Amino acid sequence: MIVSNRKDLKEIEKYIENLDKFFLIGCSECATLCGTGNEEAILNLKQWLEDNHKKVTGWMIAKTGCQILGTKRELSQYKEAIEQAQCIMVLSCGAGTQTITELFEEKPVIPLNDTLFIGNMRRFREFEERCRACGECFLAITGVCVVTLCPKSMLNGPCGGYKEGRCEVNPLRKCAWIIAYETLEKRGLMEKFYENILGPKDWSKANSPRQLKASTGYSKSKTEDPKEK
Ligand code: SF4
Ligand code: SF4
């Protein structure tokens, strides 16, 4: 999931100084799990705006805020309330906010959240970063994500600063490569690891902005395709 955090309202005050009427949009996916885009977050914001003598013309929670066409369809029933608003406030991740900037090119759009990372929820609303979307997943080889766990994203073993199993950047944490080693050993995969030792990573796969046209299945390898024979 994409983890987001509420902005300090002091920052929001700066953006809304000369605006009076707002439409609010949340998201029922990651931002709801984070508590940054659910009904409670929307109603708290609405109350804060009203306490500051602002008007909320309406609000809705998009099913999947980063889904542009679906969100456009959902918003069509709020046309009047949106027209009355001078500004749209979005309580989602940055992708959801950009759906709205794309759909409403002539209205100011204010993000209420900061988007932090791709992560997992360990306990209720406690999140850990797990993936840096590096474009080339190595988990089958390294067992844990060294791209994320290591502050330097070292891919071929620990850096020279590693000391007594601890990370030189944050000695409170184990070196990512110790975690990887222990994980692979537990799974009996050390031999495979040595066989597949990683070469230099192709970081061009992580260059932004990236695009993808996803297919629904796995493509056959060339030799399996009879037309290719
Ligand atoms: S190796 Fe890359 S894709 Fe896989 S979990 Fe780590 S950052 Fe994400
Ligand atoms: S000590 Fe280990 S985790 Fe820390 S920066 Fe070096 S390789 Fe990465």
Side-chain angles (χ1 to χ4, degrees):
M1 63 184 287
I2 296 178
V3 179
S4 59
N5 197 19
R6 243 172 279 174
K7 279 183 181 288
D8 188 328
L9 289 173
K10 282 261 167 291
E11 180 186 343
I12 304 301
E13 276 171 5
K14 285 189 288 187
Y15 307 140
I16 63 169
E17 258 174 11
N18 302 315
L19 299 166
D20 293 312
K21 294 179 193 156
F22 301 87
F23 187 85
L24 318 180
I25 301 176
C27 174
S28 79
E29 303 270 5
C30 311
T32 282
L33 274 178
C34 294
T36 54
N38 53 344
E39 185 170 333
E40 190 188 352
I42 297 239
L43 293 180
N44 283 341
L45 176 66
K46 181 174 179 286
Q47 188 63 56
W48 177 77
L49 287 165
E50 288 167 355
D51 289 348
N52 284 281
H53 314 291
K54 310 280 185 190
K55 185 172 178 199
V56 174
T57 61
W59 60 272
M60 62 86 81
I61 297 178
K63 190 168 178 298
T64 309
C66 51
Q67 221 266 59
I68 300 174
L69 284 181
T71 305
K72 186 178 179 183
R73 232 175 283 128
E74 287 167 358
L75 282 168
S76 59
Q77 53 183 304
Y78 300 92
K79 208 164 168 258
E80 211 174 297
I82 293 169
E83 267 166 21
Q84 285 167 14
Q86 294 164 300
C87 165
I88 302 176
M89 291 183 142
V90 189
L91 295 86
S92 72
C93 70
T97 306
Q98 290 188 62
T99 293
I100 306 306
T101 57
E102 191 169 320
L103 294 177
F104 300 96
E105 287 176 348
E106 286 163 18
K107 267 196 204 292
V109 173
I110 298 177
L112 265 290
N113 299 328
D114 290 319
T115 302
L116 303 181
F117 51 81
I118 300 176
N120 292 30
M121 182 158 69
R122 181 169 288 286
R123 290 189 196 86
F124 186 60
R125 300 216 170 123
E126 282 183 29
F127 304 98
E128 294 170 357
E129 185 175 12
R130 289 295 176 87
C131 174
R132 284 196 192 170
C134 76
E136 198 181 9
C137 194
F138 299 114
L139 283 175
I141 299 171
T142 54
V144 293
C145 178
V146 288
V147 179
T148 307
L149 284 176
C150 167
K152 298 177 192 170
S153 295
M154 296 291 294
L155 283 181
N156 314 98
C159 72
Y162 135 99
K163 205 171 164 196
E164 290 164 6
R166 297 272 140 191
C167 172
E168 75 159 345
V169 177
N170 180 359
L172 294 174
R173 293 185 63 95
K174 262 189 194 177
C175 167
W177 277 96
I178 296 288
I179 302 172
Y181 186 94
E182 288 172 351
T183 306
L184 293 170
E185 203 176 39
K186 242 186 260 165
R187 294 181 190 160
L189 290 173
M190 275 321 289
E191 215 168 290
K192 273 260 169 282
F193 171 71
Y194 289 122
E195 266 170 36
N196 292 312
I197 203 126
L198 293 163
K201 175 166 167 51
D202 179 3
W203 283 104
S204 71
K205 291 183 177 160
N207 279 353
S208 295
R210 288 172 273 180
Q211 288 186 331
L212 172 73
K213 260 195 187 170
S215 62
T216 47
Y218 290 94
S219 52
K220 288 179 182 169
S221 71
K222 278 189 177 171
T223 46
E224 283 173 324
D225 188 338
K227 287 186 291 240
E228 299 278 330
K229 281 180 182 164

